[in-house]
Amino acid sequence: MTYERTELFIDGRWRTPAGGVTIPVISPSTGQPVGSIPLGGAADVDAAVDAAGRALRSPEWGAITIDQRVELLSRLAGELEKTVAARAELTSVQNGMPITLAVNAEGAGPPALLRYYAELARALPAEERRPRLDGMGVTIVRREPVGVVAAIVPWNYPQLLTMFKLAPALAAGCTVVLKPAPETTLDALELAAAAERAGLPRGVLNVVSGGVDVGTHLVAHPGVHKVAFTGSTSAGRAIGETCGRLLRPVTLELGGKSAAIVLDDADLSTVAQGLASSSLLNNGQTCHLSTRILAPRRREHEVLDVVAGVAAGLRIGDPLDPATEVGPMVSERQRRRVEDYIELGKASGTLAAGGGRPDREHGWFVEPTVFGGIGNESRIAREEIFGPVLTVIGYDDLDEAVAIANDSEYGLGGTVWTTDIERGLDIARRVETGTIGVNFYNLDLGAPFGGVKSSGLGRELGPEGLAAYQQTKSIYLLSPQTT
C-alpha cells in the first residue's frame, strides 16, 4: 500500500505548497519508499499563521459559546474514533511503532484527550469573582485563550503528542498551526482531513510540514502567541532562546535519561515484567524511559541477568505484526546513532545482551542491548540515546542511589522498584524529576507531565495542560459603597 499526499491544509483548504516540493516517505521496516508528502516553506507558514489569526477573531470560532466549542471537539473526536485502526497503522508504517502500542497510544489516545479537555473546559468557569483584599469591591478574574499556537511535534508518538497540544489549545479557544516531523506527516494530514469532516471552522487547525527551516520561521513568526514543542533538548534550547527574546510563552517537553532504582527488597519478577514498558517502550524511542538501572551492589549481577533476560526475550519483527514487541528505529540515521553508542558501551563496559543487528534482511533494526560494569560518568549513562540501550549501575546505599539518579542534566521520568510501597514513595520524593512511578510507569492523562532541568519547561496533560493555553485578565470593580 502507498500513501500519497501532495497538499498542505491551510485555512480550511487543501493547497499545494508554495515551492511545489514533495519528499518520499520511507518505511523503517524495509528501507523502501511507501508514499510521499508535501514539503512546506516560509510562505506556507505565513499563510497558515494569517489564517489562524483570522479564525481566532472570527464569529465562527472566536465568538461561539463553550457548549458550541465542546460540540465541535466532540465531533472531531468522533471522526478520529472511526479510524482508530487505520491511524494506528499509519504511525507504525512511518516510524516502526509496534502496532499493539500504536492502537492504544496513537489510535485511541487522541480522541480520548479531545473529550477530556472539552469537558474540562466546559466545567471551568470563564470568569470568577473574588473579593478584594482592601474591601473596596471585587475583582473579576477572566480566562481567555492565549491566541495562535505553534505546535511542533516529533516522530516518536506523533498523533498522541499532537493531541497533548491541540486538545487543550482548542478547548481553551486557541487556533493552531501544526508542524509535524517530516518522518510522520501522513498522520497529521489525516488529522486535518478529520477536522474538515467534523466541520472545524476554517483556520482553526492548519498543518504545514517541513524541516528545521519551517519550524524556525514558525517559532519566530510575529503572528504566533505561544509555542508548544516536544523534541530534543538541543532544539528546545534554541526555541526557548527565541521565545525568551520575544517574551513569548513556551512549553518545552524535551529529553530524558531517567533512572530505575531497584531497592534491595525488590521482587525481580515484578521488575522484569515492568521493564519492557518502563525502559524499552516503542523500541526505546520514548523520552521518559528508565534507561539507567540502578542496582544494590550485592544484587548487581542478579539484576543485570534479569535485565539482560528481558531484553533478549523481546520479540523483534514487523511492527504491523501484533506479536512484535520491538520494531525498527525510525530511520537509518537514527540506527547509526544508536549503534555508535553501542560501540562506546562495548569499549567501556560489559555487554550482557544484544549489541548488534537482528537477522533480518531489510529495515533499520537494532537488538535490545544491555551493558553492565558501567559508571554513571560514562557517556552511555549520561547522554540520551533514544534507542533500546540500557545500562546497569551499582550503588552501595540508598543515599548513593538517589545521588546517582539525580546526577544527570535531565529530570523527566523514573521508577522505584520495591516491595515496601512507603519506602518506595520516600525515595520517589527525593528524585529530581517531573514524573516517577513506583513499581510501574504509565502516563496519567489527567495529571501533569513534564520535566525539570534540561528535560523542559512547563507541563502538559491534566488541568495544568489546559491552563498553559489560557491567559488571565483581572477586571477591578469598585464597590458602590466606596464611591
Side-chain angles (χ1 to χ4, degrees), residues 6-11 15-21 38-52 177-178 206-210 213-214 217-218 221:
T6 60
E7 296 176 311
L8 307 173
F9 189 72
I10 298 173
D11 199 18
R15 51 184 279 177
T16 302
V21 177
L39 195 64
D44 302 302
V45 171
D46 293 343
V49 174
D50 289 348
V177 178
L178 170 64
N206 307 271
V207 178
V208 180
S209 56
D213 58 328
V214 168
H217 189 65
L218 177 60
H221 199 287

Side-chain angles (χ1 to χ4, degrees), residues 60-207:
E60 294 83 9
W61 182 254
I64 63 176
T65 66
I66 182 59
D67 286 338
Q68 291 171 316
R69 197 186 311 150
V70 167
E71 172 60 23
L72 284 168
L73 268 61
S74 297
R75 277 160 39 190
L76 177 55
E79 289 296 327
L80 294 177
E81 286 165 344
K82 296 175 184 177
T83 59
V84 166
R87 289 184 299 99
E89 180 178 310
L90 203 54
T91 294
S92 294
V93 166
Q94 293 175 103
N95 73 1
M97 179 184 291
I99 191 65
T100 51
L101 173 61
V103 167
N104 290 318
E106 296 288 282
L113 274 172
L114 274 170
R115 295 194 185 280
Y116 168 75
Y117 276 111
E119 292 308 317
L120 190 63
R122 195 206 306 261
L124 188 67
E127 295 182 348
E128 60 175 287
R129 293 189 174 221
R130 301 179 187 175
R132 290 177 57 98
L133 293 183
D134 58 13
M136 298 179 64
V138 298
T139 296
I140 298 173
V141 178
R142 178 174 174 80
R143 298 179 181 88
E144 298 178 344
V146 73
V148 175
V149 174
I152 303 174
V153 299
W155 45 258
N156 60 330
Y157 291 85
Q159 298 184 54
L160 185 62
L161 292 175
T162 290
M163 209 54 71
F164 275 25
K165 300 155 183 57
L166 184 65
L170 296 185
C174 299
T175 57
V176 176
V177 178
L178 170 64
K179 192 206 101 52
E183 295 89 345
T184 50
T185 291
L186 290 171
D187 57 272
L189 296 173
E190 175 52 37
L191 170 63
E196 185 179 39
R197 295 193 300 271
L200 209 64
R202 287 175 51 184
V204 172
L205 171 63
N206 307 271
V207 178

Side-chain angles (χ1 to χ4, degrees), residues 407-431:
D407 182 18
S408 172
E409 69 169 303
Y410 299 107
L412 184 58
T415 49
V416 182
W417 303 88
T418 178
T419 54
D420 185 338
I421 299 302
E422 290 304 317
R423 189 175 179 222
L425 286 172
D426 287 342
I427 296 298
R429 293 184 180 106
R430 295 172 61 189
V431 178

